[in-house]
Amino acid sequence: MEDLPITEELHARFAPPPSTKLPPDILGELHSILRLHSISPQELFYKWESYCLKMGSEETILDLETARAFKKDVQEILERETRSKAHVRSADKRAPLGATPRSVSSGSDVFGMLDGLVPNTPRPGARSGLGGSTGKRKAAFETPATSRSNRGQAASSPAEFKTPNPLENGLNAGQPTPFADRSNAGQTIETLNSHLHVPDPPLAPSPESRVKMTVNTDYKKFSYRPMAMHLSEASEVLDDRIDEFLSLCQTHHSLDDTAFGNPASQSTSEIVAVGRIASDSLDGKLNTASLVLETSRRMGAGLRVPLKVGSLLSFEFFPGQIVALRGVNASGEYFSVKEILSLPLLPPAATLPTSLGLFNRCLSGGPDSMEEDQPRPLNILVAAGPYTADDNLSFEPLHALCSQASTACADALVLIGPFLDIEHPLVASGDFDLPDETDIDPDTATLATLFQALIAAPLVGLANDVPNINIMLIPSVRDVISKHVSFPQERTPRKDLGIPKQANFLTNPVTASLNEIMIGISAQDILQELRRGEVTLNPKETNLLARQPRHLIEQRHFFPLFPPVTREALLKTGDGSLATGAVLDTSYMKLGEWLNVRPDVLITPSALAPFAKVVESVVVVNPGALSKKKGPGTYAQLTVYPANVSEEEIIEGKPVGHKVYERSRVDIVRI
């Protein structure tokens, strides 16, 4: 019979509220740990708190599986302590009295006596990393910092500090909460236009497709050869963009040709200068002291001139931004800015009333439906990769999303890469086991067969459940299945990928229309890079998540930043490597420009917090990642009601603005 006071103390310390008792199986595991290691319930509880911190998950539930994993972890820690102490004792015994100390190896301690006593002290003759290379073990020779994973063990003995192991460090240091046991699944964390309700899903999928997709992109232009850029071509692209904005500014403000000038030339006359914001150093972050204006060859011989912005009360600058500045260069050394001229925005998208009526008829059930049928709003789901956690390739979030799309009878599903992510630790290493449910021969497996088994399989199941769904796949420069490694990026060939006929790979970026709704999509994380490169003073828009998309709208481009943020400044991957970065091909930047009109919906996945906002009549959506490194993520659900067309507009026959921002609801939902 178990000791009663110990059992009561275990109940008091480990029973999750409101419960006061532990299940017998979990209680037995805890008693087993106490017996094996001769520790008190209080010390066991301290080790449990340490274990929870090391796992890194927000909620760690003590169930039977977790208790067994905790037991194994305690055993491993105690074994490491025992081995370290034994090593120190053996080193002391081997040291002869009066012997002259000799350096065993460069950079090591005498006779290895500090090994195990000083954190991260290298052992003589120890192998560097798993493969013997020293590159991965560089961090082992640095003073250790108390990170999130070992914060709970900071008071333990020095022997607990160990050489980092790629298989135990980072994400695999603890066991993340299984996806099936996730909390708050289906919770809505943000809603745009909450006054519009989400209708109940239909009893059965629509017999006909309610969505007509039109791609407003020339696929042939995206089929260029990457990494074949010529400096002259890149220079012309950058130069032409400045001259185009000069013409737009001149027309918008009704300025004469004489109003424009070269800001690099000394003159006491006030002029308007149009150019590109840049930094005076390649490596330094943009700030008010490093601001320079880069001119075009036509207006300023391509020269750069420092900017003095002390007289401005407000500004928002980032590298690559095209601006129109009014000022003077009296000294010939710098251009003193007195005013920032606004640049015109593209007009909103519009459609003829007769076409809007046809689209509304499709929402009612098809062209043969009755006039009195109430049109059901479009249901569009949007998700962005990664689609699985860093410790597995099960793609459970993707399966859950396809199940949700099937239950809701979604009209369209927008999936944005990466799908098979080059930054995934298992994919990057190439050392992983194929899932048991996939019938793949490891000896003949390719990336295409892996995509077919892991990504295409749930899409095929969704297409069988909802035959008239429209699935849009947008690649990413991080996709290992894409041979086109630069941005702008051509669509991925569907051959050998096994995707259903309802699915189509598009370009990155792409502008497409679902019925009358014009949607702009880019897989690049431009919002995070803008946040890192921007310099502001009293910005008009204080909300960061609303200000960054405004830059895209004003610059009429999916990626207006130039040069992109360096890879070293971006968040590192799951295995500690440098991020892929923008991989921008400057010669083809024009393929990222917006054509003629503003999109109704702009989808820009980002590592920033997911959101849905209306910016300059554009519904901007960041769905977030469907799967985070250690847990589930979020997706976006768009509910778009039919457009209302008045009798006067029908009679007049002129194009009508879509005003999607007034008739669409966006929910950011936890998967």
Side-chain angles (χ1 to χ4, degrees), residues 564-641:
V565 175
T566 60
R567 298 173 62 194
E568 290 78 9
L570 297 175
L571 296 175
K572 293 193 175 182
T573 64
D575 59 358
S577 304
L578 293 179
T580 304
V583 201
L584 179 66
D585 195 319
T586 311
S587 299
Y588 294 90
M589 280 183 60
K590 197 170 182 64
L591 296 177
E593 293 183 354
W594 294 1
L595 303 175
N596 304 325
V597 296
R598 275 175 279 170
D600 297 310
V601 180
L602 176 61
I603 302 175
T604 58
S606 174
L608 301 180
F611 66 88
K613 296 185 180 297
V614 177
V615 182
E616 297 292 350
S617 74
V618 178
V619 179
V620 184
V621 180
N622 171 22
L626 191 67
S627 177
K628 300 179 181 178
K629 292 183 178 181
K630 280 194 174 183
T634 56
Y635 68 95
Q637 179 177 2
L638 281 70
T639 305
V640 186
Y641 280 78

Side-chain angles (χ1 to χ4, degrees), residues 9 97 132 164 325 329 375 409 418 422 458 515 544 657:
E9 187 174 356
L97 293 175
L325 308 175
N329 185 354
C409 294
I422 189 61
N515 291 350
L544 174 71

Side-chain angles (χ1 to χ4, degrees), residues 64-377:
L64 182 59
E65 183 180 355
T66 309
R68 289 173 176 171
F70 171 53
K71 179 180 179 181
K72 182 179 179 182
D73 185 78
V74 172
Q75 177 71 24
E76 291 176 351
I77 291 177
L78 293 178
E79 287 178 356
R80 285 196 299 269
E81 289 180 354
T82 303
R83 287 196 301 266
S84 299
K85 293 175 182 177
H87 178 74
V88 173
R89 287 195 298 268
S90 63
D92 291 338
K93 292 179 180 179
R94 286 195 305 266
L97 293 175
T100 303
R102 297 179 182 179
S103 177
V104 177
S105 61
S106 177
S108 64
D109 62 284
V110 179
F111 296 112
M113 295 178 64
L114 297 180
D115 186 23
L117 293 176
V118 180
N120 289 344
T121 300
R123 280 199 321 271
R127 294 179 63 191
S128 300
L130 293 177
S133 63
T134 59
K136 294 185 179 179
R137 294 290 298 274
K138 184 178 180 181
F141 304 102
E142 299 174 355
T143 302
T146 303
S147 64
R148 181 179 181 184
S149 62
N150 60 18
R151 195 173 296 146
Q153 304 174 3
S156 302
S157 62
E160 283 197 26
F161 289 102
K162 61 178 182 176
T163 303
N165 186 336
L167 299 179
E168 297 176 359
N169 197 15
L171 296 172
N172 293 324
Q175 296 181 2
T177 303
F179 181 80
D181 299 335
R182 68 194 185 280
S183 58
N184 303 323
Q187 177 187 12
T188 300
I189 62 177
E190 183 175 341
T191 300
L192 176 67
N193 290 338
S194 57
H195 62 281
L196 300 175
H197 77 282
V198 180
D200 296 331
L203 299 177
S206 174
E208 297 182 5
S209 177
R210 304 192 324 135
V211 174
K212 179 183 179 182
M213 186 186 74
T214 306
V215 179
N216 306 317
T217 299
D218 189 351
Y219 288 144
K220 294 181 179 179
K221 292 183 178 180
F222 283 80
S223 299
Y224 64 90
R225 186 173 60 176
M227 303 176 66
M229 178 178 62
H230 298 286
L231 290 178
S232 59
E233 296 176 359
S235 175
E236 290 175 2
V237 169
L238 296 172
D239 213 55
D240 292 344
R241 183 164 168 79
I242 297 176
D243 291 337
E244 290 173 4
F245 272 84
L246 188 147
S247 300
L248 292 173
C249 179
Q250 182 175 8
T251 304
H252 181 66
H253 293 281
S254 302
L255 299 174
D256 295 332
D257 292 340
T258 55
F260 297 91
N262 181 6
S265 299
Q266 181 178 2
S267 173
T268 56
S269 301
E270 188 177 83
I271 63 169
V272 174
V274 178
R276 177 181 293 102
I277 294 294
S279 175
D280 60 1
S281 63
L282 292 177
D283 301 328
K285 187 179 184 299
L286 190 67
N287 54 59
T288 54
S290 64
L291 279 172
V292 297
L293 186 70
E294 180 182 293
T295 62
S296 66
R297 283 175 288 188
R298 183 167 70 92
M299 294 301 300
L303 298 175
R304 287 185 171 188
V305 57
L307 295 178
K308 295 295 182 181
V309 294
S311 60
L312 296 178
L313 300 178
S314 173
F315 61 78
E316 306 164 16
F317 293 137
F318 63 87
Q321 180 183 13
I322 307 299
V323 294
L325 308 175
R326 190 189 301 274
V328 63
N329 185 354
S331 64
E333 297 180 355
Y334 59 84
F335 187 72
S336 180
V337 183
K338 298 182 179 180
E339 181 187 2
I340 303 175
L341 302 183
S342 62
L343 297 174
L345 302 179
L346 285 169
T351 303
L352 292 173
T354 53
S355 299
L356 290 177
L358 292 176
F359 291 135
N360 290 347
R361 184 69 64 86
C362 290
L363 297 181
S364 301
D368 299 330
S369 62
M370 302 299 293
E371 289 284 347
E372 59 269 15
D373 288 349
Q374 181 64 33
R376 185 165 51 88

Side-chain angles (χ1 to χ4, degrees), residues 241 552-553 555-560 589-590 592-594:
R241 183 164 168 79
L552 274 64
I553 297 172
Q555 296 292 300
R556 309 178 176 198
H557 204 283
F558 285 105
F559 200 93
M589 280 183 60
K590 197 170 182 64
E593 293 183 354
W594 294 1

